[in-house]
Amino acid sequence: MAPSLDEVLGVITKKGIKHVRFEYLDTNAVSRSKTIPARHFEEFAQHGIAFPIVLFFADPLANIAVDSDLYKYLYADLAFHPDLSTFVSLPWAKNTARVYVSGDKVRATGDTILTDSRVILQHQLKALEERGLSIFSTYEYEFWVVDETTREPITDGVNCYSTLRLREFFDRVSECLYGAGVNIECVETEYAKGQFEITMQPEFGIRCADNAATLRTGIKEMATQEGFIASFMAKPYEDEEGGSAHLNHSLWSLDGKSSKMADPSRPHGLFEIAEHWVAGLLAHAPALSFIQSPTLNCRRRFKQGTFAPFNASWGMDNRTCAVRVKGIGPNGGYLENRMGSSAGNPYLGLAATIAAGIDGIDRKLPLEPPQPFNRVAEMEDGPALLPTNLEGALKAVKTDAVIMKAIGPDMVNAIEHIRLMERKTVSPGNEYESYRKLYFDYI
């Protein structure tokens, strides 16, 4: 339940908050905000705040995709309003609090446009609620940390889970994020130089994506304070593994008291509704993979022989599949949607996953047999392949009516034209340097 405005004002006074960020994630999962002196918080909380619509059809460096359909709103603002349930003091930012904002109304005309990823997710959560269901979910993120001056990764090699590769920096990250309401579950080194992974405890509803947004921005801010740069770019280095953002989730009753996942009496150990959900994810996997992995660089992850999936397969504890079933047993279980890259927008990734799963439930899609847990998912004549280039990814999402409706043509069009604009800047034969210039510092 969201606190009242009076309660938030009381927190501002009690904690000595001097500044409040009104913040959101843009199309590219880049944090955008306006910082308001606390003495003006009440006014903006009541009447809202404006942000330029142009930021929704711009790349991470704020270059404008002039061919986007949204270009007609070049000089217009979108009206945003704060969600007071997200108001929190930021332990890593002195005397500063943050509140997430959402908006879908053009201030000048009153037109409704679907460009804010938080609003897009709210629509899908409402659709799930109408079916008597809720989702309990979290992201696990892989990311890179480099020295700010040398731009070299702070660790070398691929010695994942090595205790000696962890840095004291991550103690502060974990403590500060917990103070901002993000319950870190695990921190570990990963399978690339300078790569780390952080997992969070799951939450119901939109809190999953809000936590992901807080984590991403918080880690990047704290890194700069320590002389580092943290990046959630999907694949900064050609000869290293990529970075994922696996979406771990499970279905529950609307009141959150009854899991709809595990049924040991059934062939796959899943409730029938969970089987339909998984079948929906697989049916929409090509489009889903683009929404969850939307940058030019993300496409470099989807190939056989890596830890990223390459086709629309599922399996019990099988890391090569697009959907991995984990922890099934008498006490429940959950699904790991492995199609997301670390560069994806967490609100859009969760929204698209819900839309695909709902379609599977509504159409009662049957679930094909799983891949064995000890075998690579390499069925040539079976599941659809996930797109490995921009053209294939765009075709997949634009021909998927369910995902197009859920994410909205405005958002899809913006992503498309941002990527097409970016592609013109990529130097042949030097692609990875171009990718790093596009994505590393801000994503």
Side-chain angles (χ1 to χ4, degrees), residues 361-401:
I361 291 172
D362 288 351
R363 293 199 287 146
K364 300 186 183 301
L365 294 179
L367 183 61
E368 297 295 325
Q371 283 291 289
F373 79 93
N374 60 348
R375 193 175 83 201
V376 174
E378 50 183 357
M379 298 175 286
E380 295 182 1
D381 299 324
L385 296 176
L386 304 183
T388 58
N389 57 48
L390 181 60
E391 285 76 16
L394 288 171
K395 180 180 179 181
V397 73
K398 291 165 76 174
T399 57
D400 189 314

Side-chain angles (χ1 to χ4, degrees), residues 77-259:
D77 286 342
L78 203 64
F80 282 80
H81 295 275
D83 179 346
L84 295 183
S85 71
T86 68
F87 182 92
V88 66
S89 175
L90 299 176
W92 60 88
K94 186 177 179 180
N95 300 326
T96 299
R98 183 230 58 218
V99 64
Y100 282 129
V101 296
S102 305
D104 62 1
K105 296 291 184 184
V106 180
R107 291 188 81 192
T109 64
D111 294 346
T112 298
I113 58 173
L114 204 56
T115 57
D116 176 16
S117 58
R118 201 167 186 272
V119 171
I120 290 170
L121 174 54
Q122 287 169 337
H123 289 179
Q124 292 309 306
L125 289 169
K126 179 66 174 175
L128 193 63
E129 179 183 328
E130 290 169 352
R131 288 158 177 80
L133 296 170
S134 61
I135 190 165
F136 191 52
S137 59
T138 187
Y139 283 94
E140 57 181 76
Y141 272 113
E142 293 172 336
F143 59 96
W144 281 262
V145 181
V146 303
D147 183 274
E148 187 175 26
T149 302
T150 67
R151 311 287 288 198
E152 289 296 318
I154 65 173
T155 61
D156 197 9
V158 294
N159 195 4
C160 56
Y161 301 103
S162 168
T163 303
L164 298 180
R165 296 178 76 213
L166 278 174
R167 298 294 186 91
E168 191 174 312
F169 165 63
F170 291 101
D171 294 338
R172 181 180 178 229
V173 165
S174 181
E175 292 168 8
C176 285
L177 285 171
Y178 185 66
V182 180
N183 196 351
I184 299 301
E185 191 171 69
C186 181
V187 182
E188 63 199 48
T189 58
E190 260 299 340
Y191 198 70
K193 58 185 181 182
Q195 189 184 46
F196 301 86
E197 179 177 293
I198 285 188
T199 60
M200 301 168 279
Q201 287 202 330
E203 301 276 2
F204 281 102
I206 202 168
R207 183 72 182 271
C208 161
D210 285 341
N211 281 353
T214 302
L215 178 141
R216 294 170 66 98
T217 304
I219 288 176
K220 291 181 75 68
E221 286 191 87
M222 283 182 269
T224 62
Q225 293 166 1
E226 301 289 338
F228 303 137
I229 296 174
S231 180
F232 290 79
M233 177 181 171
K235 190 171 169 60
Y237 310 108
E238 186 172 11
D239 57 349
E240 299 282 350
E241 289 290 333
S244 64
H246 298 154
L247 176 56
N248 297 297
H249 64 284
S250 55
L251 288 177
W252 290 74
S253 58
L254 194 55
D255 61 8
K257 295 181 179 180
S258 176
S259 172

Side-chain angles (χ1 to χ4, degrees), residues 401-414:
V402 169
I403 300 301
M404 280 295 294
K405 181 179 179 182
I407 304 303
D410 286 334
M411 176 61 80
V412 172
N413 180 269

